[in-house]
Each structure stands twice: as structure tokens, then as C-alpha cells.
Amino acid sequence: MHIKDIKRLSLGLTSACNGKCLMCWHSNKEQHKVVNLEKRIYEQIRDSLFHRINHLNLCGGGEFAMYPQINSVLRDVREYELETDIITNFSHITDEQRDILKDMDIMFKISIDGSTKEIQETLRPGCSYDKIIDNVLFFKKHKKRMEFQTVVSELNSHDLKNILILAERLGIDSVHFQELQYYDGLERPYKLNRQKENVAYVEHITNKKNIVISCLASARFYVSNKFLPSLFHPGQCEHTIQDLRVQEDGKILSCCFPGCKVMGDLHKNTLEEIIGSKEFDAHMKSCKCKFSGVKFARPKLFSSKE
């Protein structure tokens, strides 16, 4: 694999976050150390890749807007005219950042778990419902694409229909229901429980909605097999073809799924050295896991547009 082959970059900027969401380690009593991508490493990535790639995903373990150099990063992305996805709780964006973001080719993936202030701020303390709605209205005026990403648990399963109604009223393009996952970083006993599967209920609430409603292929609660298109294909995993994932600690991962492998560290080697190594090339061509061959290109499983 060569650096010229990379077309899609997932870039973690910071683990800092304004939220204390119940499903996230940020709500733990003992907090992890905040990690920010070093400026020199970001600049190396920018100079090596931004003129080559056609898609950027700003992600990570925290809120992108809390990265110390985020305004400079956003200006760089705007200058290179990169199609960009941003995963965000949408409640910590400054007026200056708004002004930059409104002129970018961007898709906001907004973490929202409740249709009301009470439900949202119970599940996601620190993520102001009012600020989220205000930002949605602002960016909708500037014709930005937006998706609601909802983690479903026992505390909001009754609210799914209302989330869809809210999304439709605000002009949200899509809603992505996600099954609650338990990660090693969470304290036990867990603060949330998974909701029992109820496919009939999901079929009912997604009827006649003018938005695309999707789900993870692994989420049994939302999907029965009859809804799934053919998602599998032979050969190399599509998540390692032309894709690169860099964490906020400077480590390069084989992909973005749980169980992925650390392929290199930008504190020790350059991007070119890591990507150009035989070990990197061999692993990326042979990497297999339970997600290999699964296409997550926002499957239109429920939509009245079709």
C-alpha cells in the first residue's frame, strides 16, 4: 500500500468532551487523561494527505470542537474543499466555528438520544438540548446535511417515534438508531441496560416518514433479516481499501471497529514509513473480522422516499 492510495481519512483530534453521557467513559467517576493530537502530527497528516483524499471523517473519543487547534483545522479542511463528516454532540460550537463550518462541504452526525430536553440531558448530561436545536436551525439555513445518531436503551426506547417526528420537523436528512454497546472503559454496574428487541415496533414507527432511517447491521433490535440487502462481498475488506484511521494519540489503526489492530505510531515513524511497510500492506490486505465484507454506506432500510 502507498500513501497515494489513501482516499478516505478518519482522524481523531481529542478525547476531551463537554458531555458526561451515561453510555460513555466520560461519565465515569475516574476520568482518563485527556489526549489531543499533537500539532506537528496533525500538520504532517495535513501536508501528506489533504491534497490526496476525497473524504475526511473528524471523529475520536471526544468532542471535535474542544480540540485546541480546531479553528485552524477547520480552515484547512475548508481550503482543501474536503467532503467531511463530523461526529458531534452539537452543543459546544462557537460562533467563530459556525462561521467556518457553514461554508464547508459537511455532514453533521449529531448524538441525540431524546426528543425533549429532559430525556436528552438525562442521558447526555452536559449536552444542552436547546443548543443542539439552535445549531440545527442555524446550519439548516445554510443547507448543511445532518443526521441524528441515537443510542437506544431502556431509558429512551419509548421515545423513538418522537425522535423521528422531531427529525422530520427540523428537516434532518437521516436518523441512525444504534444498539447500546458496553465497552471496557465503562464502570460496572452499567448505568444503562439494553432494550429488548421489538422489530414490529420499529416497523410501525418508521412507516410514512420522509427521512432515511438506518441502523447498524449488527443491531438485532431494529432489523430483521428481511430488511437487509445483500451486504457481503468476497475479497479484501472494504474498510481497509483506501481508508486510514488515525487516533488522537497518534496511533494508526487498521480500521475503526472494535478489535482493530494498531499498525503504527506517528510519534515513532512518519506516515510514509508506516503505510509503506510490508507489514502494513500485508495486514490491510488480509485483515478479517466479523465486520469484514459488511458495507455500512447508510443502508436505506426504512424510507418512504423509495
Side-chain angles (χ1 to χ4, degrees), residues 68-269:
Q69 289 84 41
I70 187 58
N71 291 3
S72 297
V73 172
L74 294 178
R75 290 190 185 97
D76 289 339
V77 175
R78 183 177 64 181
E79 179 182 346
Y80 281 91
E81 299 181 340
L82 294 175
E83 180 185 52
T84 305
D85 289 349
I86 293 183
I87 299 172
T88 173
N89 60 51
F90 229 36
S91 61
H92 197 77
I93 298 174
T94 66
D95 289 341
E96 184 178 0
Q97 290 159 6
R98 272 182 165 191
D99 191 56
I100 303 170
L101 288 161
K102 69 180 176 59
D103 297 321
M104 293 170 56
D105 181 5
I106 197 163
M107 169 75 155
F108 292 109
K109 297 186 175 182
I110 304 162
S111 301
I112 184 166
D113 287 355
S115 67
T116 67
K117 182 180 180 71
E118 180 182 9
I119 299 173
Q120 169 67 9
E121 295 181 10
T122 296
L123 286 164
R124 294 185 177 271
C127 302
S128 167
Y129 178 85
D130 293 336
K131 288 182 179 179
I132 293 169
I133 300 302
D134 184 61
N135 279 321
V136 167
L137 295 174
F138 174 84
F139 286 111
K140 197 62 187 177
K141 286 194 301 185
H142 293 280
K143 302 184 184 336
K144 299 297 113 175
R145 293 168 294 143
M146 286 175 277
E147 176 178 272
F148 279 174
Q149 294 195 335
T150 300
V151 176
V152 181
S153 67
E154 61 179 356
L155 295 186
N156 69 348
S157 60
H158 66 284
D159 194 43
L160 300 189
K161 181 179 179 180
N162 292 328
I163 289 174
L164 295 179
I165 291 171
L166 175 67
E168 191 170 24
R169 176 168 63 82
L170 294 173
I172 298 297
D173 299 280
S174 57
V175 176
H176 185 94
F177 291 139
Q178 301 178 169
E179 187 179 38
L180 178 66
Q181 300 291 326
Y182 298 132
Y183 294 109
D184 291 339
L186 284 174
E187 292 175 338
R188 293 176 171 83
Y190 297 120
K191 304 174 185 70
L192 293 173
N193 292 321
R194 291 185 180 133
Q195 179 64 22
K196 294 180 180 179
E197 63 181 74
N198 190 341
V199 175
Y201 171 64
V202 175
E203 289 185 53
H204 170 68
I205 66 172
T206 55
N207 188 32
K208 299 181 180 179
K209 293 297 174 187
N210 294 318
I211 51 178
V212 174
I213 304 166
S214 61
C215 64
L216 291 177
S218 61
R220 292 182 303 110
F221 178 73
Y222 312 100
V223 185
S224 63
N225 290 334
K226 68 178 180 178
F227 287 117
L228 286 174
S230 179
L231 297 179
F232 300 93
H233 63 93
Q236 183 177 353
C237 177
E238 74 162 25
H239 307 295
T240 63
I241 299 174
Q242 299 183 323
D243 286 40
L244 189 71
R245 165 84 178 202
V246 183
Q247 289 191 137
E248 51 268 47
D249 60 2
K251 292 189 170 99
I252 293 179
L253 305 183
S254 56
C255 69
C256 61
F257 294 116
C260 60
K261 182 178 179 181
V262 175
M263 302 303 301
D265 188 339
L266 290 171
H267 291 98
K268 300 176 181 178
N269 300 97

Side-chain angles (χ1 to χ4, degrees), residues 11-21 24-27 31-37 57-68 70 85-93 109-111 124 126-127 149 245-249:
L11 183 61
L13 294 175
T14 182
S15 65
C17 191
N18 58 296
K20 302 290 183 183
C21 305
C24 181
W25 62 264
H26 284 286
S27 66
Q31 291 290 297
H32 298 281
K33 179 182 177 182
V34 170
V35 178
N36 294 312
L37 188 69
N57 182 15
L58 292 181
C59 51
E63 174 60 25
F64 84 101
M66 296 188 71
Y67 182 58
I70 187 58
D85 289 349
I86 293 183
I87 299 172
T88 173
N89 60 51
F90 229 36
S91 61
H92 197 77
I93 298 174
K109 297 186 175 182
I110 304 162
S111 301
R124 294 185 177 271
C127 302
Q149 294 195 335
R245 165 84 178 202
V246 183
Q247 289 191 137
E248 51 268 47
D249 60 2

